[in-house]
Amino acid sequence: MTKKILFIQPTATPDWIPDLQAYLDNGKDADTQVDVVCLERGPKHLEYHYYEALIAGDVLHLVKKAEKDGYDGAMIACFDDPCVRESKEICDHLVVTGLAESSMHLAATLGDRFSIINARRKCEGSFRENAYRYGVIDKLASIRNLELGVHDFQSKQELTEQRMEEEIKAAIYEDGAEVICLGCTMMFGFYKKMQEKYGVPVIDAMLVGLKYTEHLITLRDAFNWYPSKIGNFETPPIEDVDGWNLETAYGYPKVW
Amino acid sequence: MTRRILFVNPFYAPEWTDELKQYLDDHKNSDTETAVAMLERGPRHVEFHYYESLVGQDVLTMVKQGEKAGFDGAVIGCFYDPFLREAREICDRMVVTALEEASLQLAASLGANFSIISVRQKCTPAFRENVQKYGMSHRLASFRHLNLTVEDLKNNRKLTEERMEAAIAAAVQKDGAEVVILGCSMMLGFYRLMQEKYGVPVIDPILAGFKQAEHLVEVREQCGWYTSKAAHYETPPLEDIKAWHLSTAYGLPDIW
């Protein structure tokens, strides 16, 4: 049975779509269909917390609409995992994954400790909070910063590669990392060369997110394992969402 | 010198504005001026992560407007501390506090450990993440729930008092808490009765957040201590906000 996955790029970057689509199509299972979308308005990267707060409504409504449209899974394509918790809360059967959660859980299985290669120091604080949230904080050896922007990785590949090599080497030999996570969607494509060079698994965020989504869809369909609706992911009561006219108040189409 | 503190209420409860303002005025320092900013749309409480996502933009706009209007400090009035991180990121001068961070820091000064009384189990995972984020995991004795709705807190004082007594008695006698924190802004007014009854400090989160704002304004004025802009709280570049037309895209008033 075909698995339909929506890949949500939570930034207003339509020019990225063809490359992302090709990369995912190359990595997917034969019976998976991936559709890539990005936001119609807003910031061009999410390095600042403020930008993340601005995009939340648009991302969540794309997620909820994907569920209504019959998708099996949605991936939110940013290593900060924006709106992942909220998405699990508002969905009833759609599988939702984030890149950091997928990367860190795999990394924790593949080695004793892992390091995250990050764009700029700015993001470190929230990455560490996510490592805690996902229960793997004790497995985090270090966060290493390239001090390059999200838009640099694909446009300045040579520089990115050079900085990546320096920081991966330091993570392995100074910080004791056994696995490396590349901590940004736009670091796609570098992992193979890096892991051949350093002999440890180097996890590509987009690919691990895709594989984890396929995996969770399989588990949902085969065993009915789905986010617990007791506590953290309990869905808001539809009477309140409707009673308070939230969709009108925030100008969103009917998705509930 | 007069300190001006803005209390930002991150859910829609216009009928509550006057009571809040009075509560703050009853507890303020003589040279403090208070104001309450209330959301003009949206959910009636933020018990669900989804609601929190929806209010983000309005909360941050109110915070930035407060800074522009010359307020010295802002208190975000919810125990989830929604958008505290983002608010500190976008402010240059105004102090921002929130209820859980302020309550935990105070509790950790007043006793060896503390318990948090929450409305429902739904809230505890997010509260626990905050406890870790603020570096206080080792000081947490327990969570105890009232198993009430926010509506009950507002309208059924007697039932709230009964449940609160049971929860606090359990926290103090079974879990060994030396300090008790009331984990919801709508629990205002109960702390005095409870602490007289149980003989331990019972922290009212609104007052903890408010008094911390006064304190942080004072140390900013006297010692020049203000939010570090080195990385985590670095402000987004104005050029990006302008170039990406964020104000138009999200219909923001003139805050940037």
Side-chain angles (χ1 to χ4, degrees):
Chain A
M1 208 190 62
T2 307
K3 297 185 185 96
K4 272 185 73 185
I5 297 174
L6 187 69
F7 180 96
I8 298 172
Q9 177 59 44
T11 47
T13 46
D15 43 321
W16 290 355
I17 289 183
D19 286 348
L20 299 177
Q21 181 75 57
Y23 197 67
L24 292 162
D25 283 343
N26 207 30
K28 73 182 183 61
D29 287 346
D31 60 351
T32 297
Q33 174 195 327
V34 190
D35 298 325
V36 177
V37 291
C38 73
L39 299 187
E40 287 174 6
R41 59 171 179 174
K44 292 191 179 295
H45 64 70
L46 299 179
E47 267 175 35
Y48 293 83
H49 312 307
Y50 178 61
Y51 301 158
E52 240 182 82
L54 288 178
I55 58 138
D58 291 353
V59 171
L60 290 170
H61 291 91
L62 278 174
V63 166
K64 192 68 186 164
K65 186 168 181 304
E67 184 173 66
K68 279 192 90 165
D69 291 347
Y71 279 91
D72 297 293
M75 293 166 65
I76 301 177
C78 168
F79 205 82
D80 219 15
D81 287 5
C83 306
V84 170
R85 178 172 70 173
E86 291 76 5
S87 297
K88 290 182 186 178
E89 182 192 71
I90 63 173
C91 288
D92 301 319
H93 62 263
L94 184 79
V95 165
V96 185
T97 59
L99 305 191
E101 187 179 27
S102 312
S103 298
M104 291 187 202
H105 283 168
L106 181 65
T109 308
L110 298 182
D112 179 44
R113 294 202 301 159
F114 64 87
S115 289
I116 300 171
I117 304 300
N118 174 32
R120 294 175 50 232
R121 183 178 158 197
K122 169 70 181 157
C123 319
E124 256 193 67
S126 32
F127 284 5
R128 190 167 287 116
E129 283 170 16
N130 274 343
Y132 169 79
R133 177 183 280 184
Y134 301 141
V136 293
I137 189 76
D138 295 333
K139 312 281 275 186
L140 180 64
S142 63
I143 299 176
R144 286 270 172 182
N145 308 315
L146 301 185
E147 293 306 336
L148 292 171
V150 171
H151 289 261
D152 294 332
F153 305 138
Q154 298 297 324
S155 64
K156 300 176 191 164
Q157 291 199 6
E158 206 176 312
L159 174 65
T160 303
E161 210 171 293
Q162 179 207 324
R163 288 290 300 121
M164 226 177 235
E165 286 178 3
E166 288 165 4
E167 296 304 331
I168 289 178
K169 211 168 7 172
I172 297 171
Y173 297 110
E174 291 170 33
D175 309 333
E178 300 180 8
V179 181
I180 301 292
C181 295
L182 299 182
C184 179
T185 316
M186 293 310 284
M187 292 183 192
F188 70 88
F190 292 97
Y191 78 100
K192 208 172 281 209
K193 187 160 172 187
M194 294 296 147
Q195 73 188 2
E196 276 164 14
K197 187 149 191 168
Y198 295 102
V200 300
V202 176
I203 297 175
D204 177 293
M206 232 199 298
L207 292 180
V208 72
L210 173 66
K211 292 292 135 189
Y212 197 54
T213 312
E214 290 174 336
H215 173 60
L216 289 185
I217 294 170
T218 305
L219 297 183
R220 180 198 68 179
D221 293 345
F223 312 115
N224 205 22
W225 291 338
Y226 187 73
S228 171
K229 288 290 170 180
I230 292 183
N232 199 22
F233 298 132
E234 181 196 331
T235 306
I238 186 75
E239 310 87 75
D240 284 351
V241 174
D242 283 345
W244 301 339
N245 298 314
L246 294 185
E247 281 161 338
T248 322
Y250 294 100
Y252 285 107
K254 184 79 191 148
V255 290
W256 283 90
Chain B
M1 203 198 63
T2 306
R3 299 181 199 116
R4 295 178 64 210
I5 309 281
L6 180 69
F7 187 91
V8 177
N9 198 67
F11 51 92
Y12 178 70
E15 72 287 351
W16 205 33
T17 307
D18 293 344
E19 188 187 340
L20 277 172
K21 163 88 174 139
Q22 188 59 52
Y23 197 62
L24 297 171
D25 285 343
D26 288 345
H27 293 86
K28 73 184 185 65
N29 289 333
S30 56
D31 57 353
T32 298
E33 272 178 30
T34 65
V36 172
M38 181 60 68
L39 280 197
E40 287 175 4
R41 58 172 178 176
R44 309 279 301 179
H45 61 72
V46 276
E47 231 176 65
F48 292 84
H49 310 306
Y50 174 63
Y51 300 159
E52 216 181 288
S53 294
L54 289 178
V55 303
Q57 179 189 313
D58 292 349
V59 168
L60 292 169
T61 297
M62 290 194 293
V63 165
K64 195 67 187 169
Q65 278 176 324
E67 184 175 62
K68 283 193 87 163
F71 280 93
D72 297 293
V75 185
I76 300 177
C78 169
F79 201 79
Y80 279 130
D81 292 5
F83 307 102
L84 172 62
R85 178 170 73 174
E86 291 78 2
R88 286 181 176 159
E89 182 190 73
I90 62 172
C91 287
D92 302 319
R93 187 192 59 78
M94 187 172 71
V95 159
V96 187
T97 67
L99 308 194
E100 183 167 358
E101 188 191 61
S103 301
L104 297 187
Q105 291 191 352
L106 180 60
S109 307
L110 298 180
N113 63 8
F114 52 79
S115 288
I116 297 172
I117 309 299
S118 79
V119 181
R120 298 197 309 125
Q121 188 188 340
K122 167 72 178 162
C123 320
T124 53
F127 288 171
R128 186 175 286 115
E129 283 175 12
N130 278 342
V131 172
Q132 196 279 337
K133 190 190 282 189
Y134 302 144
M136 296 285 174
S137 293
H138 301 305
R139 312 293 288 270
L140 176 69
S142 64
F143 284 101
R144 288 280 173 176
H145 319 291
L146 303 185
N147 288 322
L148 292 175
T149 64
V150 177
E151 289 302 309
D152 292 329
L153 285 189
K154 273 195 292 194
N155 304 324
N156 201 336
R157 201 177 160 88
K158 187 156 177 297
L159 178 66
T160 304
E161 210 172 291
E162 274 170 28
R163 295 276 177 92
M164 210 179 258
E165 285 178 0
I168 292 177
V172 174
Q173 288 149 17
K174 293 190 187 149
D175 309 332
E178 299 184 10
V179 180
V180 170
I181 297 170
L182 301 181
C184 179
S185 65
M186 290 200 177
M187 295 181 189
L188 83 168
F190 287 98
Y191 77 99
R192 207 178 283 261
L193 180 71
M194 295 295 149
Q195 73 188 3
E196 277 163 14
K197 187 150 189 168
Y198 294 100
V200 299
V202 175
I203 295 176
D204 176 300
I206 289 185
L207 298 181
F210 176 52
K211 300 315 269 184
Q212 193 193 36
E214 289 182 329
H215 170 65
L216 289 182
V217 171
E218 193 167 319
V219 298
R220 184 195 67 184
E221 295 301 325
Q222 292 186 5
C223 321
W225 294 337
Y226 185 67
T227 309
S228 170
K229 291 286 173 179
H232 195 49
Y233 295 125
E234 180 198 332
T235 306
L238 195 56
E239 309 87 76
D240 283 352
I241 293 178
K242 298 279 188 207
W244 300 342
H245 307 291
L246 295 187
S247 296
T248 322
Y250 293 103
L252 306 176
D254 182 26
I255 52 170
W256 291 107

